[in-house]
Amino acid sequence: MPFFNEKKLEELRLIAGGDDVFLQKIGETYIAQFDRKFPELKDAVEANDAEQTEKLAHLLKGASYSVAADDLADDFELLEKEAETGSVENAAGVLTRIEDCMVDFRKTWLNVFLGKNSDFV
């Protein structure tokens, strides 16, 4: 599955009306939210706090879908669904995958919208 959802990327381009600075700001806003909330999510998992894990995973899932980062959103959804059961015992591997995926997100967001690397669309 591609890192970004191509259809959603096109929708973002249409909304932005060709304003690449606006698209860059969308990505920067997402990254800033991730940087604030992901450490809280990791802390909730480490504390075995399923309720807080569910809330934070839900928040970050929605934010990820809004920037067409479906792979990230899918992993947050896995965490959310597990936490809904009252457990977070399988979360560590998902958290690692999310961190790895965010490295790619940070590298590719600008390239996607400025057309520097067409492999991502």
Side-chain angles (χ1 to χ4, degrees), residues 1-6 9 13 108 111-121:
M1 177 160 79
F3 184 78
F4 289 103
N5 179 308
E6 188 174 335
L9 286 176
R13 285 185 178 105
T108 60
N111 291 336
V112 167
F113 285 107
L114 296 183
K116 292 182 182 175
N117 189 339
S118 61
D119 292 343
F120 298 106
V121 290

Coordinates of all heavy atoms in Angstrom, one line a residue, residues 1-6 9 13 108 111-121:
M1 N 0.9 -1.2 0.0 CA 0.0 0.0 0.0 C 0.9 1.2 0.0 O 1.9 1.3 0.7 CB -0.9 0.0 1.3 CG -1.8 1.2 1.4 SD -3.2 1.0 2.4 CE -2.5 1.2 4.0
P2 N 0.6 2.2 -0.8 CA 1.4 3.4 -0.9 C 1.3 4.2 0.4 O 0.4 4.1 1.2 CB 0.8 4.3 -2.0 CG -0.4 3.5 -2.5 CD -0.5 2.2 -1.8
F3 N 2.4 4.9 0.7 CA 2.5 5.7 2.0 C 1.3 6.7 2.0 O 0.7 6.8 3.1 CB 3.8 6.4 2.0 CG 4.0 7.1 3.3 CD1 4.4 6.5 4.5 CD2 3.9 8.5 3.4 CE1 4.6 7.1 5.7 CE2 4.1 9.2 4.5 CZ 4.4 8.5 5.7
F4 N 1.1 7.4 1.0 CA 0.0 8.4 0.9 C -1.1 7.9 0.1 O -0.9 7.2 -0.9 CB 0.5 9.7 0.3 CG 1.4 10.5 1.2 CD1 2.8 10.5 0.9 CD2 0.9 11.2 2.3 CE1 3.6 11.2 1.8 CE2 1.8 11.9 3.1 CZ 3.1 11.9 2.8
N5 N -2.3 8.2 0.4 CA -3.5 7.9 -0.3 C -3.6 8.9 -1.5 O -3.8 10.1 -1.3 CB -4.7 8.0 0.6 CG -6.0 7.7 -0.2 OD1 -6.3 8.2 -1.2 ND2 -6.8 6.8 0.4
E6 N -3.4 8.4 -2.7 CA -3.3 9.3 -3.9 C -4.6 10.1 -4.1 O -4.6 11.3 -4.4 CB -3.1 8.5 -5.1 CG -2.8 9.3 -6.3 CD -2.4 8.5 -7.5 OE1 -1.8 7.4 -7.4 OE2 -2.6 9.0 -8.7
L9 N -4.6 12.9 -1.6 CA -3.6 13.9 -2.0 C -4.2 14.9 -3.0 O -4.0 16.1 -3.0 CB -2.4 13.3 -2.5 CG -1.5 12.6 -1.5 CD1 -0.3 11.9 -2.2 CD2 -0.9 13.6 -0.5
R13 N -4.8 18.9 -2.9 CA -4.3 19.8 -3.9 C -5.4 20.7 -4.4 O -5.2 21.9 -4.6 CB -3.7 19.0 -5.1 CG -2.3 18.4 -4.8 CD -1.7 17.8 -6.0 NE -0.4 17.3 -5.7 CZ -0.2 16.0 -5.6 NH1 -1.1 15.1 -5.7 NH2 1.1 15.6 -5.3
T108 N 9.1 13.0 3.1 CA 8.4 13.0 1.8 C 7.3 14.0 1.7 O 6.9 14.3 0.5 CB 7.7 11.6 1.5 OG1 6.8 11.3 2.6 CG2 8.8 10.5 1.4
N111 N 8.2 16.8 -0.7 CA 8.4 16.3 -2.0 C 7.1 16.0 -2.8 O 7.0 16.2 -4.0 CB 9.3 15.1 -2.0 CG 10.7 15.4 -1.6 OD1 11.2 16.5 -1.8 ND2 11.4 14.5 -1.0
V112 N 6.2 15.4 -2.0 CA 4.9 15.0 -2.6 C 4.2 16.2 -3.3 O 3.8 16.2 -4.4 CB 4.0 14.4 -1.6 CG1 2.6 14.3 -2.1 CG2 4.5 13.0 -1.2
F113 N 4.2 17.3 -2.5 CA 3.4 18.5 -3.0 C 4.2 19.4 -3.9 O 3.6 20.1 -4.7 CB 2.8 19.3 -1.9 CG 1.6 18.5 -1.3 CD1 1.7 17.9 -0.1 CD2 0.5 18.4 -2.0 CE1 0.7 17.2 0.4 CE2 -0.6 17.7 -1.5 CZ -0.5 17.1 -0.3
L114 N 5.5 19.3 -3.9 CA 6.3 20.2 -4.8 C 6.7 19.4 -6.1 O 7.4 19.9 -6.9 CB 7.5 20.7 -4.1 CG 7.2 21.7 -3.0 CD1 8.5 22.3 -2.4 CD2 6.3 22.8 -3.4
G115 N 6.3 18.1 -6.1 CA 6.6 17.3 -7.3 C 8.0 16.9 -7.5 O 8.4 16.5 -8.5
K116 N 8.8 17.0 -6.4 CA 10.2 16.6 -6.5 C 10.5 15.2 -6.6 O 11.5 14.7 -7.1 CB 11.0 17.2 -5.3 CG 11.1 18.7 -5.3 CD 11.8 19.2 -4.1 CE 11.9 20.7 -4.0 NZ 12.5 21.1 -2.8
N117 N 9.5 14.4 -6.1 CA 9.7 12.9 -6.2 C 8.3 12.3 -6.5 O 7.5 12.1 -5.6 CB 10.2 12.4 -4.9 CG 10.6 10.9 -5.0 OD1 10.2 10.2 -5.8 ND2 11.5 10.5 -4.1
S118 N 8.1 11.9 -7.7 CA 6.8 11.4 -8.1 C 6.6 10.0 -7.7 O 5.5 9.4 -7.9 CB 6.7 11.5 -9.7 OG 7.7 10.7 -10.3
D119 N 7.6 9.3 -7.1 CA 7.4 8.0 -6.6 C 6.3 7.9 -5.5 O 5.8 6.8 -5.2 CB 8.7 7.4 -6.1 CG 9.7 7.2 -7.1 OD1 9.3 7.2 -8.3 OD2 10.9 7.1 -6.8
F120 N 6.0 9.0 -4.9 CA 5.1 9.0 -3.7 C 3.7 9.3 -4.1 O 2.9 9.4 -3.2 CB 5.6 9.9 -2.6 CG 7.0 9.5 -2.1 CD1 8.1 10.2 -2.5 CD2 7.1 8.4 -1.3 CE1 9.4 9.9 -2.0 CE2 8.4 8.0 -0.9 CZ 9.5 8.8 -1.2
V121 N 3.4 9.5 -5.3 CA 2.0 9.8 -5.7 C 1.6 8.9 -6.8 O 2.3 8.3 -7.5 CB 1.8 11.3 -6.1 CG1 1.9 12.2 -4.9 CG2 2.7 11.7 -7.2

